[in-house]
């Protein structure tokens, strides 16, 4: 039974597992990660395999503090500003990888850049300190599926795969980190996430370009169909079709005879973010075929919520 409540003892034990080349699922403030020693290519291969993730899609290296991040990525003025403002926290920065970094090429999928994050969750921080190595960790779900916000979600997706699943309860934010590429002349938003775009624009004093709009390659992970439950999603629904289940937001859900999950009856976008992935899993478990999603405001965390919903609604490759 690999789920273990996170205590100092289980965290220390998990750190040893990492040092021995094992795979550990652990909570962060965004979603659960599936971690391996980022300097150990054999261990990192297991992460790709367990997730069923294509090798061209690079992983985030998690480190305990800004100083350690600086030994793996080249910090320019933009990166320093963002690190100061948002680390530890739900921000991932893509930086030029330092030639002396011992993170293996498999983590960055052979790119010259490396994605780095200093998470804020205390269990994650304590694991990173105890492990003493950078930890490569994608979200701990099967590739293309919804990210896990509880240890039980990890277990449901990956079964006995991980050597340990550290249980730290529900994640605080419920959405993945915001990914910003600061390796070029201007910052690019690669993935909206836990830090709203507006907060980053406030730090830079300029609008943030989107990777998709810029003349730059998109983040390899930005595949159209992603974060996908089994049921079909219909976005911006203003009415309900027969048989559809409602994914509602706010105090005035659509009139219905069908069942419903409300992301936030009081219309709080933060609460909606924490509930989104669990709600999609819950709706799937109910066996419903179609999910009608009410419109969700696109400001703040709403941008990331709508991004995930669009991907969940995109046509599937299989
Ligand atoms: O909140 C999170 O970010 C969680 C927790 C566990 O930290 N992790 C997570 O990892 O969501 P993952 O692998 O599911 O998403 C990482 C994203 C992918 O879209 C990947 O393509 C992008 O970061 N990425 C990683 N390295 C990159 C690089 N060098 N250049 C561009 N994009 C990169
Ligand atoms: Mg993921």
């Amino acid at each position: 039974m690999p789920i273990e409540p996170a205590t100092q003892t289980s965290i220390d034990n998990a750190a040893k597992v990492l040092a021995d080349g094992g795979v550990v699922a652990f909570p962060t403030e965004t979603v659960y990660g599936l971690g391996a020693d980022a300097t150990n290519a054999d261990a990192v291969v297991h992460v790709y395999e367990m997730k069923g993730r294509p090798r061209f899609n690079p992983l985030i290296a998690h480190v305990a503090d800004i100083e350690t991040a600086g030994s793996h990525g080249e910090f320019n003025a933009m990166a320093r500003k963002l690190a100061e403002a948002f680390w530890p926290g739900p921000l991932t920065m893509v930086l030029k990888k330092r030639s002396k970094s011992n993170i293996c090429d498999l983590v960055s999928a052979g790119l010259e850049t490396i994605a780095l994050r200093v998470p804020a969750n205390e269990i994650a921080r304590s694991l990173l300190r105890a492990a003493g190595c950078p930890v490569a960790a994608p979200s701990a779900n099967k590739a293309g599926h919804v990210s896990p916000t509880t240890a039980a979600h990890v277990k449901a997706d990956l079964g006995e795969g991980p050597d340990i699943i550290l249980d730290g309860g529900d994640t605080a934010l419920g959405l993945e980190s915001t990914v910003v590429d600061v390796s070029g002349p201007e910052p690019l938003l690669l993935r909206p996430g836990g830090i709203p775009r507006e907060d980053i624009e406030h730090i830079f004093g300029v609008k943030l370009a989107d990777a998709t709009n810029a003349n730059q390659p998109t983040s390899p992970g930005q595949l159209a169909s992603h974060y996908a439950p089994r049921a079909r999603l219909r976005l911006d629904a203003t009415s309900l079709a027969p048989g559809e289940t409602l994914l509602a937001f706010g105090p005035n859900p659509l009139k219905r005879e069908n069942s419903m999950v409300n992301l936030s009856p009081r219309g709080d976008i933060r609460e909606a973010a924490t509930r989104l992935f669990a709600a999609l899993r819950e709706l799937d478990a109910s066996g419903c075929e179609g999910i009608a999603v009410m419109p969700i405001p696109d400001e703040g965390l709403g941008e990331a919520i709508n991004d995930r919903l669009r991907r969940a609604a995109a046509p599937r490759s299989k």
Side-chain angles (χ1 to χ4, degrees):
M1 183 70 177
I3 295 188
E4 290 188 23
T7 60
Q8 198 54 55
T9 309
S10 62
I11 291 170
D12 287 344
N13 186 24
K16 286 198 196 87
V17 168
L18 288 173
D20 289 343
V23 174
V24 172
F26 62 97
T28 79
E29 71 277 25
T30 57
V31 300
Y32 277 71
L34 186 66
D37 175 355
T39 68
N40 180 339
D42 290 338
V44 174
V45 164
H46 285 136
V47 169
Y48 278 97
E49 284 175 349
M50 235 172 258
K51 263 191 79 95
R53 179 166 176 133
R55 301 276 174 96
F56 61 79
N57 190 1
L59 311 180
I60 298 170
H62 298 70
V63 292
D65 49 53
I66 297 181
E67 294 67 43
T68 313
S71 68
H72 297 291
E74 283 176 24
F75 274 64
N76 52 25
M78 289 185 288
R80 276 192 292 275
K81 269 191 182 171
L82 288 189
E84 211 171 286
F86 302 116
W87 275 357
L91 173 79
T92 295
M93 282 199 278
V94 173
L95 302 171
K96 287 220 167 68
K97 189 175 166 185
R98 292 184 88 105
S99 51
K100 69 170 181 118
S101 165
N102 57 355
I103 293 178
C104 63
D105 285 340
L106 195 56
V107 172
S108 47
L111 298 171
E112 288 178 356
T113 52
I114 181 77
L116 291 163
R117 173 153 111 86
V118 179
N121 175 286
E122 278 309 325
I123 297 162
R125 300 197 79 192
S126 154
L127 177 67
L128 290 168
R129 278 194 300 266
C133 61
V135 172
S139 50
N141 52 283
K142 283 278 184 200
H145 196 208
V146 178
S147 288
T149 58
T150 68
H153 293 165
V154 178
K155 175 111 180 170
D157 262 33
L158 303 176
E160 304 295 321
D163 294 299
I164 298 181
I165 301 172
L166 283 178
D167 189 351
D170 292 1
T171 61
L173 264 162
L175 285 176
E176 302 88 345
S177 61
T178 302
V179 183
V180 182
D181 184 343
V182 282
S183 68
E186 60 163 29
L188 287 176
L189 181 65
L190 298 187
R191 178 178 73 183
I195 303 274
R197 163 200 293 278
E198 296 88 338
D199 294 7
I200 296 170
E201 292 178 340
H202 180 75
I203 296 290
F204 287 136
V206 292
K207 293 275 175 211
L208 199 52
D210 289 308
T212 38
N213 299 335
N215 190 18
Q216 293 270 341
T218 312
S219 187
Q222 297 299 66
L223 308 170
S225 170
H226 205 140
Y227 312 103
R230 274 192 310 276
R232 298 279 142 190
L233 264 79
R234 193 165 62 80
L235 304 184
D236 295 322
T238 49
S239 63
L240 268 172
E244 277 184 333
T245 298
L246 179 65
L247 186 58
F249 174 79
N252 300 308
L254 299 171
K255 292 263 174 298
R256 63 190 170 86
E257 276 121 47
N258 326 40
S259 50
M260 162 180 91
V261 173
N262 197 331
L263 291 173
S264 175
R266 62 173 195 268
D268 175 355
I269 207 79
R270 278 194 90 82
E271 182 178 50
T274 65
R275 291 187 179 171
L276 176 67
F277 291 147
L280 291 175
R281 283 178 185 261
E282 191 186 314
L283 289 168
D284 251 0
S286 77
C288 75
E289 300 274 299
I291 303 171
V293 187
M294 282 177 67
I296 291 171
D298 211 38
E299 288 99 53
L301 290 177
E303 183 180 8
I305 294 177
N306 284 317
D307 171 80
R308 304 307 186 268
L309 285 169
R310 269 195 302 278
R311 283 172 210 289
R316 313 289 154 77
S317 47
K318 49 180 177 175

